[in-house]
Amino acid sequence: MFGENECTKVTAPSELSFSTATLSILITLTAFPGNLLVILAIAIDPNKNLRSPFNFLVANLAVADCLVGLLVGPISAVWHMCEGLGRCAEYEAGVVRSIHMSFFISCTASLFSLAALAIDRFLAITTPLKYRLLLSPWRIALVSTVIWTVAVCFPLIYLEVGYIAYTFVFANTAVLATFGVLVFTYVKVFQSLRAQVLQWDQLGNNRSANGVRLRAVRWEQKITKTFLIMLALFIACYLPSCIVIYVMNLCNHCSCVMIHVLRDMQLILVMANSSMNPLVYAYRLKTFRSAFKKILQRCFNAYRRAKQGSFSLSQSQESSGL
């Protein structure tokens, strides 16, 4: 699917193409509805407890991941299915480039959204008193605008250098910068959390006077631990992906079959990360679980009312006919 090198004219094994298409379908079925549910939960906010700077950035990340399930996953499934059937020649180069661009835009937006979330946790834990002032809604909107502007403009380099060369540039710029931000903020957040744990004993001796503060500290820590799980999943997907990118660019003796395998691995690893975050929210945060349940219940009730209305209408028409 990807690449503009000597292996472009070499057909990938059909087994690999069908396997990649199947995985793309599975990721699509989880990434799109899961991230759409996250976006709806924050936008509708049925319990009135999800409007926070952190969750606005979560929504921004969910939009990027939703793009994977809405565009990249389905197009990847169709492309690899056609590749396995030997019908790729029907597609023009412009279509392939559009696939690549949507893939890179969503990846870049996801990376920078994770970096913004890391900075949010850093400010929330290290400077809790100034946190609300530093991250006001309009500043979050500005950050989101910058993220998507860079995400759309940066992949334009791909149009000049091709897929494999751009992945190397991407790994050594956007991915490396995001890793640097994540490592720095993780170390600082861990140090601050350890200091707060030491303060818990003092708060515990006077729970009646410090109950509100104690609950606030625990809630921020729970959100931070949830983000750390997201960070671990991100590293589990992107670190092997970066290794694959280096192998693709630096291996001079790899066969074309190996190049096809590596390219599909890199695609699936990045796409898979987009389907994991909604599961983390549902597992770790009660506020999201409750919002998800209410939204799904509303959808089910609306579907049931529509079905009952359709049934009543059909009965009425049958009675009129009689």
Side-chain angles (χ1 to χ4, degrees):
M1 176 178 178
F2 300 119
E4 295 181 1
N5 61 356
E6 59 185 11
C7 294
T8 303
K9 298 180 181 180
V10 178
T11 305
S14 58
E15 296 84 359
L16 174 64
S17 300
F18 291 137
S19 298
T20 305
T22 302
L23 292 174
S24 298
I25 293 172
L26 293 177
I27 292 172
T28 298
L29 294 176
T30 54
F32 177 67
N35 286 287
L36 180 62
L37 194 58
V38 172
I39 297 170
L40 291 176
I42 297 173
I44 298 173
D45 196 10
N47 296 322
K48 309 300 180 184
N49 57 4
L50 292 177
R51 299 294 178 87
S52 67
F54 177 80
N55 287 336
F56 289 147
L57 291 173
V58 166
N60 195 64
L61 174 62
V63 171
D65 291 339
C66 200
L67 182 64
V68 173
L70 182 64
L71 292 177
V72 183
I75 297 176
S76 170
V78 172
W79 177 269
H80 283 94
M81 190 66 67
C82 293
E83 184 181 57
L85 296 173
R87 299 178 181 177
C88 288
E90 300 175 6
Y91 292 86
E92 298 179 358
V95 178
V96 178
R97 289 179 180 176
S98 66
I99 299 172
H100 297 168
M101 287 297 294
S102 62
F103 175 70
F104 287 128
I105 289 172
S106 61
C107 290
T108 306
S110 293
L111 283 170
F112 291 154
S113 295
L114 281 169
L117 283 168
I119 296 173
D120 172 276
R121 289 298 85 203
F122 169 73
L123 296 174
I125 297 300
T126 58
T127 58
L129 298 179
K130 298 180 180 179
Y131 173 64
R132 291 286 179 178
L133 296 175
L134 292 173
L135 290 180
S136 58
W138 72 268
R139 286 183 177 176
I140 295 297
L142 179 61
V143 170
S144 299
T145 301
V146 171
I147 287 174
W148 282 101
T149 301
V150 175
V152 172
C153 295
F154 189 65
L156 294 176
I157 300 173
Y158 150 75
L159 298 177
E160 296 295 328
V161 300
Y163 177 80
I164 290 183
Y166 178 74
T167 57
F168 192 76
V169 174
F170 180 72
N172 287 278
T173 53
V175 177
L176 190 61
T178 302
F179 269 123
V181 171
L182 295 178
V183 170
F184 173 79
T185 54
Y186 174 79
V187 172
K188 294 297 183 180
V189 165
F190 179 78
Q191 292 174 348
S192 182
L193 284 175
R194 186 171 58 181
Q196 290 181 8
V197 169
L198 296 177
Q199 295 177 358
W200 273 16
D201 292 336
Q202 298 176 358
L203 292 174
N205 294 331
N206 191 7
R207 288 180 181 272
S208 60
N210 298 286
V212 175
R213 182 184 173 191
L214 182 61
R215 286 194 296 271
V217 170
R218 284 178 173 174
W219 176 244
E220 290 295 342
Q221 288 184 340
K222 188 175 184 65
I223 293 178
T224 302
K225 290 179 181 178
T226 301
F227 173 70
L228 292 179
I229 294 174
M230 295 166 53
L231 174 59
L233 293 174
F234 165 78
I235 293 175
C237 292
Y238 270 85
L239 184 58
S241 176
C242 289
I243 295 173
V244 168
I245 289 173
Y246 276 97
V247 174
M248 283 194 301
N249 281 274
L250 302 179
C251 182
N252 296 323
H253 304 289
C254 293
S255 65
C256 288
V257 173
M258 178 60 68
I259 293 295
H260 280 295
V261 171
L262 293 174
R263 286 183 296 197
D264 287 3
M265 282 180 58
Q266 194 267 340
L267 170 70
I268 294 300
L269 284 169
V270 174
M271 288 175 55
N273 183 251
S274 298
S275 63
M276 296 177 180
N277 292 331
L279 301 177
V280 177
Y281 307 142
Y283 173 71
R284 288 282 304 175
L285 300 178
K286 185 178 179 180
T287 53
F288 273 96
R289 286 200 303 271
S290 178
F292 290 167
K293 289 179 182 178
K294 286 193 174 183
I295 292 174
L296 292 175
Q297 187 176 10
R298 288 181 184 179
C299 293
F300 176 75
N301 291 336
Y303 170 76
R304 187 170 59 181
R305 287 194 297 269
K307 189 175 181 179
Q308 289 177 348
S310 177
F311 180 72
S312 300
L313 180 61
S314 62
Q315 282 189 328
S316 176
Q317 291 175 347
E318 290 178 1
S319 299
S320 299
L322 292 174

